[in-house]
Amino acid sequence: MNQPIVDVLLPLALGFIMFSLGLTLSLGDFARLLARPRAMAVGLAGQVVLVPLVAFAVASLSGLPPAMAAGLMIVAASPGGASSGLITHLARGDTALSISLTAVTSLASVATLPLVLDASLRHFLGTGVASGLPVGTLVRGVFFLATVPVALGMVVRARRPALTARIGPVTERIATALFLLIVLATFASQRQTLVDNFATVGPAALLHNVAVMAMGFGLAATGGLALRDRIAISIECGLHNAAVGIFIAATVLHSPEMTVPSVVYALLMNLTAICLIVFMRRRRPACATG
């Protein structure tokens, strides 16, 4: 599939996924978050502080080449991915919390991403990065790709509840199928990069992914949060917008080698997410989704 088609179809697929999530949400779901700010605070601490620290430890101790170690840090500094809301929904987590965390960390990345990136490049490569990363473009992208479709879905649910009841199950199945197709397309389009570099980067990327998901879950448990919140925070810590990492490494830093961890992580994070979905749905088959 040629790149222009991918550039059109992938945003449309992600937009539909977010619209389908909007059909499951109401303003009350987000209002309840305001009544329990601890969930947001714990989630932000996990994503903004815990994830980069774990990535730094893994990158430093795993023996990765310096450029790939810096590339792993780029992944860790990237905000949550748009698909994390769907994965949280399918895994019986708190979808409103997941979507809110994705939005807030995308805004926060205006400040946090350049800081983490500069420190990582100085540590692993001995050189910093100029200020002025195009993170404003990222924030606008998240708004139009995630916030707007979710809001449209919520409007449809509020104004057409009967229609929503009819189309809701169908849109969820379509959204799930689109997510699986995105995973397969990632593998197919980047298979040579994966084959050439998986042995080098794969173990470190997998260790980082599993560690931050487990530690995010543990952090939420320590904070006394409900299981649905723990699931959402675990997934938000483990899933990152790998496309941002690829863009920064390839376009901003002009380093194809630094893109490799983002490509490998994109595949692994979705595979572990699928495993979590299967586990949680078998463990909690009758639980209402959120």
Side-chain angles (χ1 to χ4, degrees):
M1 187 178 296
N2 61 53
Q3 193 60 39
I5 294 178
V6 172
D7 291 342
V8 173
L9 293 183
L10 182 58
L12 287 177
L14 290 173
F16 183 87
I17 288 172
M18 301 310 293
F19 172 78
S20 74
L21 289 179
L23 293 175
T24 71
L25 297 168
S26 67
L27 287 176
D29 294 317
F30 292 94
R32 281 189 287 275
L33 288 177
L34 298 178
R36 48 188 186 90
R38 188 192 313 171
M40 282 293 294
V42 172
L44 289 173
Q47 287 184 275
V48 176
V49 180
L50 176 66
V51 170
L53 288 177
V54 174
F56 180 79
V58 171
S60 299
L61 299 175
S62 61
L64 286 176
M68 292 193 181
L72 186 63
M73 293 302 300
I74 294 173
V75 178
S78 299
S83 62
S84 60
L86 174 65
I87 293 167
T88 299
H89 174 72
L90 295 176
R92 315 298 198 194
D94 190 317
T95 310
L97 175 59
S98 174
I99 292 173
S100 298
L101 284 170
T102 297
V104 173
T105 55
S106 296
L107 289 171
S109 68
V110 172
T112 60
L113 199 156
L115 289 175
V116 173
L117 180 56
D118 185 72
S120 302
L121 292 178
R122 289 183 186 279
H123 179 80
F124 292 109
L125 296 172
T127 179
V129 63
S131 60
L133 287 175
V135 287
T137 302
L138 162 66
V139 174
R140 288 193 298 272
V142 169
F143 177 76
F144 287 108
L145 191 63
T147 307
V148 171
V150 167
L152 288 175
M154 292 173 64
V155 169
V156 171
R157 172 176 171 162
R159 296 189 176 181
R160 298 288 188 271
L163 174 64
T164 302
R166 290 198 304 271
I167 68 173
V170 177
T171 58
E172 180 174 329
R173 287 194 291 269
I174 295 173
T176 303
L178 288 173
F179 165 69
L180 294 174
L181 285 174
I182 290 171
V183 176
L184 293 174
T186 299
F187 176 77
S189 63
Q190 303 291 340
R191 60 186 178 277
Q192 196 57 51
T193 300
L194 291 167
V195 169
D196 293 343
N197 298 281
F198 192 85
T200 301
V201 183
L206 181 61
L207 174 61
H208 174 250
N209 176 253
V210 173
V212 294
M213 290 184 74
M215 294 173 74
F217 190 95
L219 183 66
T222 302
L225 301 181
L227 179 58
R228 294 177 71 243
D229 295 333
R230 300 177 200 177
I231 294 169
I233 290 171
S234 173
I235 290 170
E236 284 294 319
C237 286
L239 268 77
H240 297 278
N241 195 329
V244 172
I246 293 171
F247 172 78
I248 290 174
T251 305
V252 178
L253 301 177
H254 307 289
S255 174
E257 191 176 7
M258 286 189 201
T259 67
V260 172
S262 293
V263 173
V264 174
Y265 194 89
L267 176 65
L268 291 174
M269 72 179 185
N270 285 313
L271 294 179
T272 58
I274 291 170
C275 292
L276 179 63
I277 290 169
V278 172
F279 175 77
M280 295 308 304
R281 291 181 78 90
R282 288 181 175 177
R283 186 174 183 269
R284 311 175 69 219
C287 182
T289 57

PDB file of all heavy atoms in Angstrom, residues 1-18:
ATOM      1  N   MET A   1       0.852  -1.186   0.000  1.00  0.00           N
ATOM      2  CA  MET A   1       0.000   0.000   0.000  1.00  0.00           C
ATOM      3  C   MET A   1       0.889   1.237   0.000  1.00  0.00           C
ATOM      4  O   MET A   1       1.807   1.334   0.795  1.00  0.00           O
ATOM      5  CB  MET A   1      -0.900  -0.006   1.238  1.00  0.00           C
ATOM      6  CG  MET A   1      -1.943   1.096   1.234  1.00  0.00           C
ATOM      7  SD  MET A   1      -3.029   1.010   2.695  1.00  0.00           S
ATOM      8  CE  MET A   1      -3.831  -0.565   2.404  1.00  0.00           C
ATOM      9  N   ASN A   2       0.598   2.194  -0.916  1.00  0.00           N
ATOM     10  CA  ASN A   2       1.493   3.338  -1.005  1.00  0.00           C
ATOM     11  C   ASN A   2       1.258   4.311   0.144  1.00  0.00           C
ATOM     12  O   ASN A   2       0.196   4.336   0.768  1.00  0.00           O
ATOM     13  CB  ASN A   2       1.340   4.045  -2.366  1.00  0.00           C
ATOM     14  CG  ASN A   2      -0.069   4.577  -2.600  1.00  0.00           C
ATOM     15  OD1 ASN A   2      -0.597   5.298  -1.781  1.00  0.00           O
ATOM     16  ND2 ASN A   2      -0.657   4.204  -3.727  1.00  0.00           N
ATOM     17  N   GLN A   3       2.253   5.161   0.382  1.00  0.00           N
ATOM     18  CA  GLN A   3       2.235   6.002   1.575  1.00  0.00           C
ATOM     19  C   GLN A   3       1.084   7.000   1.599  1.00  0.00           C
ATOM     20  O   GLN A   3       0.486   7.223   2.658  1.00  0.00           O
ATOM     21  CB  GLN A   3       3.576   6.731   1.703  1.00  0.00           C
ATOM     22  CG  GLN A   3       3.795   7.382   3.064  1.00  0.00           C
ATOM     23  CD  GLN A   3       3.768   6.381   4.199  1.00  0.00           C
ATOM     24  OE1 GLN A   3       4.279   5.273   4.056  1.00  0.00           O
ATOM     25  NE2 GLN A   3       3.150   6.759   5.307  1.00  0.00           N
ATOM     26  N   PRO A   4       0.744   7.670   0.451  1.00  0.00           N
ATOM     27  CA  PRO A   4      -0.392   8.595   0.519  1.00  0.00           C
ATOM     28  C   PRO A   4      -1.678   7.927   0.988  1.00  0.00           C
ATOM     29  O   PRO A   4      -2.462   8.526   1.735  1.00  0.00           O
ATOM     30  CB  PRO A   4      -0.505   9.094  -0.928  1.00  0.00           C
ATOM     31  CG  PRO A   4       0.874   8.965  -1.483  1.00  0.00           C
ATOM     32  CD  PRO A   4       1.425   7.712  -0.855  1.00  0.00           C
ATOM     33  N   ILE A   5      -1.923   6.684   0.555  1.00  0.00           N
ATOM     34  CA  ILE A   5      -3.129   5.980   0.990  1.00  0.00           C
ATOM     35  C   ILE A   5      -3.067   5.706   2.482  1.00  0.00           C
ATOM     36  O   ILE A   5      -4.040   5.878   3.223  1.00  0.00           O
ATOM     37  CB  ILE A   5      -3.310   4.673   0.202  1.00  0.00           C
ATOM     38  CG1 ILE A   5      -3.578   4.983  -1.276  1.00  0.00           C
ATOM     39  CG2 ILE A   5      -4.449   3.840   0.774  1.00  0.00           C
ATOM     40  CD1 ILE A   5      -3.729   3.753  -2.138  1.00  0.00           C
ATOM     41  N   VAL A   6      -1.896   5.276   2.956  1.00  0.00           N
ATOM     42  CA  VAL A   6      -1.719   5.030   4.389  1.00  0.00           C
ATOM     43  C   VAL A   6      -1.970   6.303   5.180  1.00  0.00           C
ATOM     44  O   VAL A   6      -2.632   6.284   6.227  1.00  0.00           O
ATOM     45  CB  VAL A   6      -0.304   4.490   4.674  1.00  0.00           C
ATOM     46  CG1 VAL A   6      -0.050   4.419   6.181  1.00  0.00           C
ATOM     47  CG2 VAL A   6      -0.116   3.113   4.043  1.00  0.00           C
ATOM     48  N   ASP A   7      -1.449   7.429   4.684  1.00  0.00           N
ATOM     49  CA  ASP A   7      -1.598   8.699   5.391  1.00  0.00           C
ATOM     50  C   ASP A   7      -3.062   9.113   5.507  1.00  0.00           C
ATOM     51  O   ASP A   7      -3.429   9.860   6.426  1.00  0.00           O
ATOM     52  CB  ASP A   7      -0.814   9.804   4.662  1.00  0.00           C
ATOM     53  CG  ASP A   7       0.694   9.600   4.782  1.00  0.00           C
ATOM     54  OD1 ASP A   7       1.118   8.850   5.683  1.00  0.00           O
ATOM     55  OD2 ASP A   7       1.427  10.168   3.951  1.00  0.00           O
ATOM     56  N   VAL A   8      -3.901   8.657   4.583  1.00  0.00           N
ATOM     57  CA  VAL A   8      -5.328   8.977   4.635  1.00  0.00           C
ATOM     58  C   VAL A   8      -6.096   7.934   5.440  1.00  0.00           C
ATOM     59  O   VAL A   8      -6.902   8.272   6.312  1.00  0.00           O
ATOM     60  CB  VAL A   8      -5.912   9.082   3.205  1.00  0.00           C
ATOM     61  CG1 VAL A   8      -7.440   9.234   3.264  1.00  0.00           C
ATOM     62  CG2 VAL A   8      -5.288  10.245   2.462  1.00  0.00           C
ATOM     63  N   LEU A   9      -5.857   6.658   5.163  1.00  0.00           N
ATOM     64  CA  LEU A   9      -6.641   5.593   5.778  1.00  0.00           C
ATOM     65  C   LEU A   9      -6.364   5.438   7.264  1.00  0.00           C
ATOM     66  O   LEU A   9      -7.286   5.175   8.048  1.00  0.00           O
ATOM     67  CB  LEU A   9      -6.384   4.261   5.059  1.00  0.00           C
ATOM     68  CG  LEU A   9      -6.888   4.163   3.622  1.00  0.00           C
ATOM     69  CD1 LEU A   9      -6.626   2.776   3.058  1.00  0.00           C
ATOM     70  CD2 LEU A   9      -8.377   4.483   3.547  1.00  0.00           C
ATOM     71  N   LEU A  10      -5.104   5.584   7.684  1.00  0.00           N
ATOM     72  CA  LEU A  10      -4.788   5.398   9.095  1.00  0.00           C
ATOM     73  C   LEU A  10      -5.485   6.440   9.976  1.00  0.00           C
ATOM     74  O   LEU A  10      -6.124   6.072  10.980  1.00  0.00           O
ATOM     75  CB  LEU A  10      -3.281   5.439   9.310  1.00  0.00           C
ATOM     76  CG  LEU A  10      -2.800   5.199  10.745  1.00  0.00           C
ATOM     77  CD1 LEU A  10      -3.291   3.854  11.264  1.00  0.00           C
ATOM     78  CD2 LEU A  10      -1.282   5.272  10.830  1.00  0.00           C
ATOM     79  N   PRO A  11      -5.424   7.751   9.655  1.00  0.00           N
ATOM     80  CA  PRO A  11      -6.174   8.708  10.474  1.00  0.00           C
ATOM     81  C   PRO A  11      -7.677   8.452  10.473  1.00  0.00           C
ATOM     82  O   PRO A  11      -8.348   8.613  11.490  1.00  0.00           O
ATOM     83  CB  PRO A  11      -5.848  10.065   9.828  1.00  0.00           C
ATOM     84  CG  PRO A  11      -4.541   9.849   9.147  1.00  0.00           C
ATOM     85  CD  PRO A  11      -4.592   8.431   8.655  1.00  0.00           C
ATOM     86  N   LEU A  12      -8.229   8.031   9.312  1.00  0.00           N
ATOM     87  CA  LEU A  12      -9.659   7.723   9.261  1.00  0.00           C
ATOM     88  C   LEU A  12     -10.005   6.553  10.169  1.00  0.00           C
ATOM     89  O   LEU A  12     -11.025   6.572  10.869  1.00  0.00           O
ATOM     90  CB  LEU A  12     -10.075   7.421   7.820  1.00  0.00           C
ATOM     91  CG  LEU A  12     -10.155   8.614   6.866  1.00  0.00           C
ATOM     92  CD1 LEU A  12     -10.499   8.150   5.452  1.00  0.00           C
ATOM     93  CD2 LEU A  12     -11.183   9.629   7.352  1.00  0.00           C
ATOM     94  N   ALA A  13      -9.151   5.525  10.156  1.00  0.00           N
ATOM     95  CA  ALA A  13      -9.390   4.363  11.009  1.00  0.00           C
ATOM     96  C   ALA A  13      -9.327   4.752  12.485  1.00  0.00           C
ATOM     97  O   ALA A  13     -10.190   4.372  13.280  1.00  0.00           O
ATOM     98  CB  ALA A  13      -8.373   3.266  10.702  1.00  0.00           C
ATOM     99  N   LEU A  14      -8.314   5.533  12.852  1.00  0.00           N
ATOM    100  CA  LEU A  14      -8.191   5.974  14.241  1.00  0.00           C
ATOM    101  C   LEU A  14      -9.356   6.880  14.638  1.00  0.00           C
ATOM    102  O   LEU A  14      -9.873   6.796  15.757  1.00  0.00           O
ATOM    103  CB  LEU A  14      -6.861   6.696  14.447  1.00  0.00           C
ATOM    104  CG  LEU A  14      -5.617   5.817  14.390  1.00  0.00           C
ATOM    105  CD1 LEU A  14      -4.356   6.673  14.445  1.00  0.00           C
ATOM    106  CD2 LEU A  14      -5.611   4.802  15.529  1.00  0.00           C
ATOM    107  N   GLY A  15      -9.769   7.737  13.719  1.00  0.00           N
ATOM    108  CA  GLY A  15     -10.912   8.607  13.996  1.00  0.00           C
ATOM    109  C   GLY A  15     -12.176   7.810  14.238  1.00  0.00           C
ATOM    110  O   GLY A  15     -12.960   8.124  15.148  1.00  0.00           O
ATOM    111  N   PHE A  16     -12.399   6.754  13.459  1.00  0.00           N
ATOM    112  CA  PHE A  16     -13.576   5.902  13.657  1.00  0.00           C
ATOM    113  C   PHE A  16     -13.500   5.188  15.000  1.00  0.00           C
ATOM    114  O   PHE A  16     -14.506   5.047  15.704  1.00  0.00           O
ATOM    115  CB  PHE A  16     -13.696   4.879  12.526  1.00  0.00           C
ATOM    116  CG  PHE A  16     -14.939   4.028  12.644  1.00  0.00           C
ATOM    117  CD1 PHE A  16     -16.137   4.452  12.096  1.00  0.00           C
ATOM    118  CD2 PHE A  16     -14.910   2.816  13.322  1.00  0.00           C
ATOM    119  CE1 PHE A  16     -17.297   3.681  12.219  1.00  0.00           C
ATOM    120  CE2 PHE A  16     -16.046   2.038  13.449  1.00  0.00           C
ATOM    121  CZ  PHE A  16     -17.246   2.476  12.898  1.00  0.00           C
ATOM    122  N   ILE A  17     -12.298   4.710  15.355  1.00  0.00           N
ATOM    123  CA  ILE A  17     -12.120   4.048  16.654  1.00  0.00           C
ATOM    124  C   ILE A  17     -12.512   5.003  17.787  1.00  0.00           C
ATOM    125  O   ILE A  17     -13.236   4.620  18.719  1.00  0.00           O
ATOM    126  CB  ILE A  17     -10.666   3.576  16.822  1.00  0.00           C
ATOM    127  CG1 ILE A  17     -10.403   2.368  15.909  1.00  0.00           C
ATOM    128  CG2 ILE A  17     -10.364   3.225  18.271  1.00  0.00           C
ATOM    129  CD1 ILE A  17      -8.949   1.948  15.847  1.00  0.00           C
ATOM    130  N   MET A  18     -12.065   6.240  17.717  1.00  0.00           N
ATOM    131  CA  MET A  18     -12.375   7.204  18.763  1.00  0.00           C
ATOM    132  C   MET A  18     -13.858   7.567  18.755  1.00  0.00           C
ATOM    133  O   MET A  18     -14.473   7.769  19.816  1.00  0.00           O
ATOM    134  CB  MET A  18     -11.517   8.465  18.611  1.00  0.00           C
ATOM    135  CG  MET A  18     -10.015   8.212  18.672  1.00  0.00           C
ATOM    136  SD  MET A  18      -9.485   7.212  20.080  1.00  0.00           S
ATOM    137  CE  MET A  18      -9.834   8.314  21.448  1.00  0.00           C
TER     138      MET A  18
END
